[in-house]
């Protein structure tokens, strides 16, 4: 018996020990036999596949492809005939981004199915089990369309689900099926006006690709576009609500042309690849004027480009509309009403400091005041305000610009950022000589701003004499209203943040849905901490007390921390407790 099976591998189908094995092998037999008859498979390869199939609980065809014994293109026609259903080899160009998100990712993964495209009211869906009527009925219920199932290999469907739902593939609307060398670069086109993304089929693929990226970044409310070279692809990511999300993956050979197009639009030197460059461009996206600040940086794999999107229509320069709590808002307005002194706004990059400063300027600006700013760069142009662009290449540093501004009879001065001792000394001197000076610092909270200035070399008594107050802030994500759900956080979490309220109360969080790209969040709100310089605080600053001492004094006088502000926001249901902990909690 053993010899017979060894001589005839197909005898494995006829000599099995259990009913379960017999049923399993009989189901596989026709496919294996036909592949051997078609000279696509040897008997030894079939035996090896059958052994692995039994351990991995896979279908025979999937096992054969995984082992490399047969190609997917060779296997699919056999499966198509065996199952009497159309089969498809999945690739990017076959999947329409417009229909993909009709099916939530969780369902796609549960069914091993991915939506491909829609023709009228019929939806073509690649499925690992295209004969599963229960799954088809459920797909029709979810999508509200008639489903036409086609067969796809389970491994390929899972790969496409991971790629399409996570990494995105909208770029294939533009670049699918482009042949090598099809990339063109229009060196004369600099200005860009985009009226409709549907026109992407016209013109140069690279111009279309860059336009496509900008249009969708603006539509999704992105603050930045990151274009990064990789080993096999270019990665294009959008920063939405403070987090980066990969959305496009063009072919690697497109990367130089994409960077060149951006450089051309931003009026950079196209021939320079070894030095960082900065530039600006102005575009019109669907009737909206958008300023883009471009930056390039050489990396070992090529140049990386970042585009900062400056959409004034989406930015509110109004303190009353920034979401500042009433108590803190009154304190901020009291600081801005001072005739002179230094007001600082602190926080990490991307925490909304510039928006707060511009909102403060909008509040106090008047035809009776001479307001001058020095910024690097000037992000938004404001009426009735004289804005100066700092430029280290021409020696127009913050400190040098400040000295010149003091000869311009200013009432209010805004310094984009205090980065060094020289700028700090000039800013404080201006605050001590009758000017209201607004600026930013990169510190973790309001009390740390004092120690940061001391670290720069400014003596404590000068800080105490000039400082009016410090505003520390962060941006936290709002819970998506479409997938908001209540929950009860664990007691240990509440104890960790020293929560003083009812520990049995419920909070809210987002579960993730198609509207929020499975993040559970949409939009952002600020949380604020305001440190007013009263006599007690000034005394501590003058004596260069430790930062913890200043914080303790601030709390004793009723001051709220960033964490306190965040917890209040979580209690209101606008954000989640986890978001507050990740943003503002520091023991």
């Amino acid at each position: 018996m053993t010899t017979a099976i060894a001589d005839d591998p197909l005898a494995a189908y006829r000599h099995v020990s259990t009913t379960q094995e017999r049923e399993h092998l009989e189901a596989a037999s026709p496919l294996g036999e036909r592949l051997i008859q078609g000279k696509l498979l040897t008997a030894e390869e079939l035996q090896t596949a059958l052994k692995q199939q039994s351990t991995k609980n896979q279908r025979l065809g999937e096992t054969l492809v995984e082992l490399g014994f047969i190609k997917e293109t060779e296997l699919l026609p056999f499966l198509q005939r065996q199952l009497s259903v159309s089969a498809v080899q999945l690739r990017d160009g076959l999947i329409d981004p417009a229909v993909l998100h009709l099916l939530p990712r969780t369902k796609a993964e549960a069914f091993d199915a991915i939506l491909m495209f829609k023709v009228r009211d019929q939806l073509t869906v690649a499925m690992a089990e295209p004969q599963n009527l229960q799954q088809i009925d459920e797909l029709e219920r979810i999508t509200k369309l008639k489903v036409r199932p086609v067969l796809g290999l389970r491994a390929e469907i899972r790969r496409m689900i991971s790629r399409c739902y996570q990494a995105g593939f909208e770029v294939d609307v533009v670049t699918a099926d482009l042949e090598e060398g099809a990339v063109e670069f229009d060196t004369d086109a600099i200005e860009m006006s985009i009226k409709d993304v549907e026109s992407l089929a016209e013109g140069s693929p690279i111009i279309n690709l860059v336009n496509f990226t900008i249009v969708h970044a603006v539509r999704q409310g992105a603050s930045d576009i990151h274009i990064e070279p990789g080993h096999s692809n270019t990665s294009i990511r959008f920063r939405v609500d403070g987090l980066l999300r990969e959305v496009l993956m063009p072919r690697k050979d497109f990367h130089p042309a994409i960077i060149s197009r951006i450089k051309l639009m931003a009026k950079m030197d196209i021939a320079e690849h070894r030095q960082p460059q900065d530039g600006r461009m102005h575009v019109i996206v669907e009737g909206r004027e958008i300023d883009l600040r471009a930056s390039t940086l050489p990396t070992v794999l090529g140049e990386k480009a970042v585009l900062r999107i400056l959409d004034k229509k989406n930015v509110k320069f109004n303190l009353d509309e920034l979401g500042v709590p009433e108590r803190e808002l009154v304190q901020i307005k009291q600081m801005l009403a001072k005739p002179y002194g230094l007001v600082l706004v602190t926080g990490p990059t991307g925490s909304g400091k510039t928006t707060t400063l511009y909102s403060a300027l909008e509040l106090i600006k008047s035809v009776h005041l001479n307001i001058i700013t020095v910024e690097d760069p000037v992000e938004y142009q404001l009426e009735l305000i004289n804005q100066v662009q700092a430029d280290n290449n021409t020696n127009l540093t913050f400190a040098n610009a400040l000295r010149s501004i003091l000869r311009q009879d200013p009432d209010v001065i805004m310094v984009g950022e205090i980065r060094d001792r020289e700028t700090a000394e000039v800013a404080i001197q201006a605050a001590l000589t009758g000017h209201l000076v607004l600026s930013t610092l990169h510190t973790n909270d309001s009390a740390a701003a004092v120690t940061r200035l001391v670290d720069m070399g400014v003596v404590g008594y000068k800080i105490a004499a000039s400082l009016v107050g410090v505003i520390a802030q962060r941006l936290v994500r709002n819970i998506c209203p479409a997938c908001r759900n209540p929950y009860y956080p664990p007691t240990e979490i509440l104890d960790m943040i020293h929560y003083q309220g009812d520990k049995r109360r419920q909070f809210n969080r987002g579960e993730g849905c198609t509207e929020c790209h499975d993040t559970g969040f949409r939009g952002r709100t600020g949380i604020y901490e305001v440190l007013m310089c009263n006599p007690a605080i000034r005394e501590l600053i003058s004596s260069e007390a430790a930062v913890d001492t200043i914080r303790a004094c601030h709390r004793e006088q009723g001051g709220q921390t960033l964490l306190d502000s965040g917890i209040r926001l979580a209690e209101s249901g606008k954000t989640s407790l986890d978001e507050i902990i990740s943003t503002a909690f520091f023991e």
Side-chain angles (χ1 to χ4, degrees):
M1 182 71 70
T2 303
T3 304
I5 294 177
D7 294 338
D8 179 14
L10 298 183
Y13 296 115
R14 298 185 289 274
H15 302 281
V16 290
S17 58
T18 67
T19 304
Q20 184 179 7
E21 289 180 48
R22 183 176 293 107
E23 291 175 351
H24 180 72
L25 294 175
E26 284 175 355
S29 175
L31 177 62
E33 288 177 354
R34 280 186 292 158
L35 290 173
I36 291 176
Q37 292 167 3
K39 302 187 185 304
L40 296 174
L41 193 68
T42 67
E44 291 77 12
E45 289 172 339
L46 178 59
Q47 274 192 324
T48 302
L50 288 170
K51 289 178 183 177
Q52 177 162 320
Q53 178 194 12
S54 63
T55 59
K56 285 197 170 185
N57 194 27
Q58 291 177 314
R59 291 188 174 183
L60 178 62
E62 294 169 350
T63 305
L64 291 169
V65 173
E66 183 180 299
L67 290 171
F69 291 160
I70 189 171
K71 294 180 181 178
E72 184 183 356
T73 52
E74 298 170 331
L75 174 67
L76 288 176
F78 286 88
L79 294 177
Q80 185 169 284
R81 288 194 296 271
Q82 183 182 33
L83 300 176
S84 300
V85 64
S86 297
V88 63
Q89 183 180 13
L90 290 172
R91 56 184 173 82
D92 295 349
L94 291 177
I95 297 177
D96 183 0
V99 305
L100 177 70
H101 293 288
L102 291 175
L103 182 68
R105 177 172 182 164
T106 53
K107 287 292 186 182
E109 290 174 337
F111 293 167
D112 283 322
I114 188 165
L115 309 190
M116 294 176 62
F117 53 84
K118 179 171 74 80
V119 178
R120 297 185 178 87
D121 63 343
Q122 187 178 73
L123 189 63
T124 298
V125 183
M127 303 177 65
E129 299 179 13
Q131 294 173 314
N132 189 323
L133 297 179
Q134 185 177 354
Q135 288 185 2
I136 293 172
D137 289 343
E138 181 68 4
L139 288 170
E140 291 184 340
R141 184 190 67 80
I142 293 172
T143 62
K144 297 180 174 57
L145 294 167
K146 182 176 177 57
V147 168
R148 172 179 171 256
V150 296
L151 173 67
L153 293 187
R154 193 182 308 272
E156 288 303 300
I157 290 174
R158 289 177 178 176
R159 180 184 67 82
M160 290 303 295
I161 288 173
S162 176
R163 170 156 164 68
C164 297
Y165 282 90
Q166 260 191 349
F169 66 105
E170 289 89 343
V171 66
D172 299 301
V173 174
V174 181
T175 63
D177 299 325
L178 285 179
E179 297 178 0
E180 297 292 332
V183 175
E184 300 174 5
F185 180 59
D186 185 355
T187 56
D188 297 325
I190 296 179
E191 299 299 326
M192 180 179 69
S193 177
I194 306 170
K195 295 182 179 178
D196 193 342
V197 75
E198 302 299 332
S199 66
L200 288 175
E202 303 172 4
S204 162
I206 290 302
I207 293 176
N208 289 341
L209 177 55
V210 173
N211 292 358
F212 178 92
T213 300
I214 294 172
V215 167
H216 279 266
V218 172
R219 283 181 171 180
Q220 294 180 27
S223 61
D224 301 88
I225 302 170
H226 290 243
I227 302 170
E228 303 166 339
H231 288 284
S232 56
N233 291 92
T234 293
S235 172
I236 299 181
R237 300 190 288 171
F238 295 166
R239 187 178 294 279
V240 181
D241 295 336
L243 290 183
L244 284 170
R245 181 172 69 239
E246 192 169 42
V247 291
L248 306 174
M249 292 184 68
R251 297 202 311 246
K252 181 182 179 180
D253 52 322
F254 285 14
H255 189 80
I258 294 171
I259 297 298
S260 294
R261 173 63 182 168
I262 290 170
K263 285 182 176 180
L264 186 66
M265 294 169 66
K267 299 179 176 61
M268 299 180 190
D269 183 356
I270 295 177
E272 178 57 71
H273 304 289
R274 294 176 294 179
Q275 294 293 328
Q277 295 189 67
D278 295 298
R280 298 181 75 102
M281 65 183 86
H282 182 80
V283 300
I284 300 173
V285 178
E286 299 175 328
R288 295 160 59 185
E289 294 190 2
I290 306 290
D291 284 319
L292 297 171
R293 198 174 76 210
S295 170
T296 62
L297 180 72
T299 74
V300 293
L301 296 176
E303 288 183 280
K304 169 185 167 77
V306 175
L307 301 178
R308 168 64 59 87
I309 300 172
L310 305 173
D311 183 1
K312 193 170 181 179
K313 286 187 177 180
N314 278 350
V315 180
K316 299 176 181 178
F317 296 138
N318 186 330
L319 275 177
D320 295 321
E321 297 180 6
L322 292 183
V324 184
E326 185 62 32
R327 181 174 177 271
E328 284 77 9
L329 182 61
V330 170
Q331 291 176 325
I332 293 172
K333 289 183 177 180
Q334 287 174 352
M335 290 192 293
L336 296 174
K338 301 289 185 183
Y340 59 86
L342 177 64
V343 177
L344 294 174
V345 182
T346 73
T349 301
S351 59
K353 300 187 300 296
T354 301
T355 300
T356 299
L357 281 182
Y358 280 179
S359 299
L361 293 178
E362 286 284 349
L363 177 69
I364 63 179
K365 75 178 184 181
S366 161
V367 292
H368 305 296
L369 293 177
N370 177 21
I371 301 176
I372 306 179
T373 75
V374 52
E375 307 168 60
D376 182 20
V378 175
E379 293 195 357
Y380 297 96
Q381 297 181 14
L382 307 177
E383 296 291 335
L384 292 177
I385 295 174
N386 305 285
Q387 295 171 270
V388 178
Q389 173 86 41
D391 187 352
N392 288 328
N393 294 328
T394 60
N395 203 33
L396 187 61
T397 62
F398 278 118
N400 290 338
L402 263 176
R403 291 189 184 94
S404 299
I405 287 171
L406 289 172
R407 295 192 288 270
Q408 290 282 315
D409 185 31
D411 297 295
V412 179
I413 302 169
M414 192 269 272
V415 183
E417 182 184 347
I418 295 178
R419 299 175 179 172
D420 50 50
R421 176 179 179 175
E422 187 180 17
T423 305
E425 290 278 11
V426 178
I428 286 177
Q429 195 62 35
L432 291 172
T433 55
H435 306 92
L436 181 63
V437 181
L438 313 179
S439 190
T440 70
L441 271 179
H442 283 82
T443 64
N444 291 326
D445 63 1
S446 56
V450 176
T451 56
R452 179 79 180 100
L453 291 173
V454 172
D455 288 342
M456 287 182 182
V458 183
V459 293
Y461 70 86
K462 283 189 176 181
I463 302 173
S466 61
L467 190 63
V468 174
V470 185
I471 306 162
Q473 66 180 77
R474 297 287 191 280
L475 291 177
V476 296
R477 294 175 294 172
N478 300 332
I479 298 172
C480 172
C483 60
R484 179 196 307 270
N485 275 308
Y487 82 109
Y488 295 91
T491 305
E492 53 267 25
I493 295 294
L494 299 175
D495 291 338
M496 180 183 72
I497 63 174
H498 310 295
Y499 182 64
Q500 300 299 314
D502 181 4
K503 294 185 179 180
R504 294 172 298 177
R505 66 164 295 155
Q506 71 178 22
F507 288 82
N508 290 295
R509 63 183 174 190
E511 296 295 330
C513 63
T514 56
E515 292 190 24
C516 61
H517 298 277
D518 290 321
T519 63
F521 298 97
R522 274 172 51 192
R524 290 191 291 175
T525 301
I527 56 174
Y528 301 87
E529 170 184 314
V530 178
L531 173 70
M532 297 280 287
C533 270
N534 53 35
I537 296 290
R538 291 187 193 281
E539 180 64 30
L540 292 174
I541 294 174
S542 184
S543 62
E544 298 188 3
V547 65
D548 287 339
T549 306
I550 298 173
R551 288 192 188 112
C553 182
H554 174 59
R555 292 298 300 270
E556 289 170 4
Q557 296 177 352
Q560 298 288 303
T561 66
L562 284 168
L563 182 59
D564 295 333
S565 177
I567 289 174
R568 291 204 307 267
L569 203 63
E571 288 175 335
S572 71
K574 193 158 190 177
T575 190
S576 72
L577 203 57
D578 291 339
E579 174 74 359
I580 295 303
I581 291 172
S582 66
T583 305
F585 175 68
F586 182 79
E587 189 64 70

